[in-house]
């Protein structure tokens, strides 16, 4: 699907972050053990802070549209990211009891749970890519780098992997139905976003120079992204469990999902990864 079809799909797939019933989630959250709460706090904080980061940095890409269909789709994605941040904010406020007055105060409190790899990817690499694109929105190499980082690594590899395992866990355990509903909607939005990124890179990667750029950015960022999936207290390469799944299962899922998309784009995975 191209940007026009994805825009039309967005119109059909609307939802309200403020309209989901969270009442049963409050009891479920209160009944979790301290250990389970810790795991949730880490998993959810990466998404909450991540959604805030991508919402603002996305402005660079909106400025870099090449035609009106792409312009229309890109503005929908930016609204989606703001809606995702709003959903997490509401969840922290109403279910987890972080009753600060403003979103920024809650974000500051939640940031204590994110790891160094997360900070490097979202606060440094992504922000630098966005600045380069904002400096010259017609710079197609900067746009390819940004979309590889944002749509392939952050959304296609990290977000969709975390969402897959967490949603599976909530469904199996019959836990936190309000969160599962909102997070399911977010995952559906992310699939639309990743479809745009795949379409864009497929168009551009008939050019050998741009194809190499995609590979170079992946080669540089995938080891860092692998670190973002590692919970606090563990190192990359350690065996651990996340929401009942092993680190190996997570890595295999992420690798398979990325490989599938790269095949569509026509780019091989970098050899070192
Ligand atoms: Fe998002
Ligand atoms: Fe997204």
């Amino acid at each position: 699907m191209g940007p026009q079809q994805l825009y039309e799909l967005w119109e059909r797939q609307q939802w309200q972050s403020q309209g989901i019933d969270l009442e049963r989630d409050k009891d479920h959250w209160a009944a979790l053990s301290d250990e389970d709460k810790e795991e949730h706090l880490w998993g959810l904080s990466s998404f909450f802070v991540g959604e805030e980061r991508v919402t603002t940095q996305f402005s660079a890409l909106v400025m870099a549209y090449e035609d009106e269909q792409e312009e229309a789709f890109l503005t929908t994605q930016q609204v989606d990211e703001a809606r995702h941040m709003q959903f997490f904010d509401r969840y922290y406020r109403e279910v987890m009891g972080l009753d600060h007055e403003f979103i920024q105060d809650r974000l500051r409190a939640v940031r204590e749970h994110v790891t160094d790899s997360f900070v490097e990817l979202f606060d440094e690499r992504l922000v630098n890519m966005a600045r380069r694109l904002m400096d010259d929105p017609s710079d197609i190499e900067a746009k390819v780098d940004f979309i590889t980082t944002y749509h392939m690594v952050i959304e296609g590899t990290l977000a969709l992997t975390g969402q897959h395992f967490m949603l599976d866990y909530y469904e199996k355990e019959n836990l936190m139905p309000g969160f599962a509903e909102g997070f399911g909607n977010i995952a559906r939005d992310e699939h639309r976003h990743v479809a745009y990124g795949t379409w864009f890179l497929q168009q551009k990667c008939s050019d050998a120079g741009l194809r190499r750029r995609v590979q170079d950015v992946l080669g540089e960022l995938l080891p860092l992204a692998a670190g973002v999936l590692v919970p606090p207290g563990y190192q990359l390469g350690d065996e651990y469990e996340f929401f009942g799944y092993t680190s190996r299962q997570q890595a295999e899922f992420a690798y398979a999902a990325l490989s599938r998309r790269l095949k569509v784009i026509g780019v091989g995975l970098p050899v070192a990864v």
Side-chain angles (χ1 to χ4, degrees):
M1 277 195 277
Q4 181 64 29
Q5 287 85 2
L6 291 168
Y7 172 82
E8 291 173 17
L9 191 57
W10 175 82
E11 283 200 353
R12 296 195 295 275
Q13 293 183 333
Q14 293 296 307
W15 61 283
Q16 294 178 355
S17 66
Q18 310 297 310
I20 290 172
D21 181 1
L22 300 179
E23 282 312 306
R24 277 190 298 160
D25 289 47
K26 292 177 188 171
D27 297 333
H28 288 190
W29 176 253
L32 286 182
S33 69
D34 285 349
E35 199 184 326
D36 282 349
K37 275 186 181 151
E38 275 299 309
E39 188 174 36
H40 281 77
L41 281 170
W42 176 69
L44 268 60
S45 61
S46 302
F47 277 99
F48 182 19
V49 180
E51 297 289 6
E52 184 280 328
R53 294 281 71 198
V54 298
T55 302
T56 51
Q57 302 313 309
F58 201 79
S59 302
L61 185 56
V62 175
M63 291 161 69
Y65 69 91
E66 290 168 67
D67 62 36
E68 281 64 21
Q69 290 77 244
E70 191 184 15
E71 175 188 35
F73 171 78
L74 290 174
T75 56
T76 69
Q77 181 168 345
Q78 192 163 30
V79 175
D80 285 343
E81 307 300 12
R83 181 161 26 203
H84 300 169
M85 176 186 71
Q86 287 277 346
F87 177 73
F88 281 102
D89 184 63
R90 184 176 164 228
Y91 206 81
Y92 271 91
R93 194 176 65 236
E94 293 185 18
V95 177
M96 295 169 163
L98 262 68
D99 56 359
H100 308 77
E101 189 178 358
F102 298 112
I103 298 179
Q104 59 268 36
D105 301 322
R106 230 173 334 273
L107 274 168
R108 207 170 299 126
V110 166
R111 259 188 179 269
E112 77 178 65
H113 296 285
V114 302
T115 60
D116 292 346
S117 301
F118 179 95
V119 169
E120 188 179 339
L121 182 61
F122 285 83
D123 289 338
E124 293 167 25
R125 303 300 185 102
L126 178 66
V127 170
N128 289 339
M129 298 273 187
R131 279 199 193 125
R132 248 182 66 220
L133 187 54
M134 243 180 292
D135 283 346
D136 180 4
S138 69
D139 180 344
I140 207 69
E141 294 183 342
K143 189 175 175 186
V144 164
D145 290 355
F146 183 88
I147 290 180
T148 305
T149 304
Y150 192 120
H151 294 75
M152 287 300 118
V153 176
I154 291 177
E155 293 182 324
T157 308
L158 292 180
L160 290 184
T161 300
Q163 280 161 358
H164 171 80
F165 289 107
M166 287 167 74
L167 280 169
D168 196 58
Y169 173 84
Y170 290 125
E171 194 184 322
K172 272 203 300 227
E173 301 287 320
N174 203 8
L175 200 63
M176 316 241 259
F179 183 79
E181 184 183 340
F183 208 42
N185 292 336
I186 288 172
R188 191 176 59 183
D189 291 344
E190 297 302 350
H191 277 102
R192 232 173 26 247
H193 302 169
V194 173
Y196 159 79
T198 306
W199 167 84
F200 174 83
L201 292 174
Q202 189 189 33
Q203 307 294 306
K204 300 300 175 195
C205 281
S206 51
D207 178 287
L210 294 176
R211 212 157 49 228
R212 205 164 320 112
R213 283 197 90 83
V214 173
Q215 274 194 318
D216 289 348
V217 173
L218 290 174
E220 203 183 309
L221 291 187
L222 286 177
L224 180 60
V228 174
L229 289 171
V230 179
Y234 292 95
Q235 306 280 336
L236 193 58
D238 285 353
E239 295 274 330
Y240 56 85
E241 283 204 2
F242 177 69
F243 285 86
Y245 292 93
T246 65
S247 44
R248 178 179 289 270
Q249 284 173 306
Q250 274 189 77
E252 282 171 0
F253 181 88
Y255 178 83
L258 179 65
S259 309
R260 220 171 29 242
R261 274 178 212 112
L262 292 180
K263 204 169 169 199
V264 174
I265 294 167
V267 170
L269 259 182
V271 183
V273 176

